[in-house]
């Protein structure tokens, strides 16, 4: 891990991975990459189109390939998709090639954040409020074994970036 100088931001959809990743990259003076954007570039189409035309299994395969293409990137913050750590051997790959930070939110916090952006997200676009909360609770439960493997777990509702940078510098020795 030391030497690769890469930090992966993981967590459920809507947890603020992209926002936190951009802020963290700015604080450290590193590059920022969004795995969803890399996956879209690799597939040549948007994530909703990948899901509707090819399904989730194909999406996860392309997402994993995009993630692994970053193996030799350095001084980089990578915001992953919410499910990325839970498929293929992605979490093990991230743990071997960088430092992982899990932005942890409660189901209620996630539901409030996701209620207004459902249309952009294939897995939740057709869910009502109660169905959305149930989906979040069930999916979080099934993903916790991967998320909790992260090197650092941060309450993600409104992370203090200065404190996060200090913690990462200490834990990751950068």
């Amino acid at each position: 891990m030391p030497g690769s100088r890469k930090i992966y931001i993981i967590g459920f959809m809507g947890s603020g991975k992209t926002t936190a990743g951009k802020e963290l990259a700015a604080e450290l003076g590193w590059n920022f990459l969004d795995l969803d954007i890399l996956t879209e570039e690799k597939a040549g189409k948007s994530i909703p189109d990948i899901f509707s035309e090819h399904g989730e299994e194909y999406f996860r395969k392309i997402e994993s390939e995009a993630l692994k293409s970053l193996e030799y990137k350095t001084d980089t913050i990578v915001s992953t998709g919410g499910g990325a750590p839970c498929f293929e051997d992605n979490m093990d790959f991230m743990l071997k090639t960088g430092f992982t930070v899990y932005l942890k939110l409660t189901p209620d916090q996630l539901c409030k954040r996701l209620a207004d952006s459902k249309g952009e997200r294939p897995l939740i676009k057709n869910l009502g409020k109660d169905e959305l909360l149930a989906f979040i609770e069930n999916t979080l439960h099934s993903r916790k074994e991967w998320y909790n493997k992260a090197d650092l777990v941060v309450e993600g509702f409104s992370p203090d970036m200065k404190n996060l940078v200090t913690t990462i510098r200490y834990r990751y020795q950068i």
Side-chain angles (χ1 to χ4, degrees), residues 10 91 95 100-102 146-153 171:
I10 68 169
M91 189 62 183
L95 290 166
T100 55
V101 178
Y102 168 32
W146 287 280
Y147 288 166
N148 287 330
K149 288 181 181 180
D151 295 303
L152 180 63
V153 177
R171 297 267 309 269

Side-chain angles (χ1 to χ4, degrees), residues 41-171:
E41 289 171 357
K42 186 166 184 52
K45 53 185 78 173
S46 71
I47 289 173
D49 287 346
I50 298 168
F51 267 80
S52 67
E53 294 173 24
H54 303 285
E56 184 177 6
E57 187 175 325
Y58 177 79
F59 167 76
R60 297 298 177 192
K61 177 182 177 288
I62 299 298
E63 179 184 53
S64 183
E65 290 172 5
L67 175 67
K68 301 219 172 103
S69 75
L70 304 175
E71 182 172 6
Y72 298 106
K73 287 280 185 192
T74 190
D75 294 351
T76 303
I77 307 295
V78 180
S79 169
T80 70
C86 312
F87 292 89
E88 307 281 332
D89 62 345
N90 292 345
M91 189 62 183
D92 289 336
F93 173 82
M94 288 186 278
L95 290 166
K96 283 183 215 164
T97 62
F99 186 82
T100 55
V101 178
Y102 168 32
L103 296 182
K104 183 178 182 178
L105 278 78
T106 68
D108 286 331
Q109 290 169 327
L110 289 164
C111 192
K112 286 176 187 158
R113 285 188 174 189
L114 291 169
D116 294 330
S117 65
K118 290 189 309 185
E120 311 160 18
R121 302 173 186 275
L123 293 175
I124 63 171
K125 69 180 180 182
N126 297 318
L127 302 180
K129 186 176 182 192
D130 291 340
E131 294 169 310
L132 177 60
L133 183 59
F135 172 82
I136 292 168
E137 290 170 341
N138 292 334
T139 307
L140 266 179
H141 179 74
S142 69
R143 292 180 177 177
K144 72 180 176 184
E145 79 175 86
W146 287 280
Y147 288 166
N148 287 330
K149 288 181 181 180
D151 295 303
L152 180 63
V153 177
V154 175
E155 295 303 321
F157 188 70
S158 182
D160 176 341
M161 278 302 133
K162 299 268 190 230
N163 187 39
L164 182 57
V165 168
T166 300
T167 302
I168 288 170
R169 284 181 195 249
Y170 175 75
R171 297 267 309 269

Side-chain angles (χ1 to χ4, degrees), residues 14-45:
S15 63
K17 299 179 298 290
T18 298
T19 300
K22 287 178 179 178
E23 288 181 32
L24 189 54
E27 287 286 332
L28 292 172
W30 287 13
N31 298 312
F32 172 78
L33 293 171
D34 186 313
L35 185 60
D36 285 345
I37 292 171
L38 292 174
T39 302
E40 288 178 334
E41 289 171 357
K42 186 166 184 52
K45 53 185 78 173

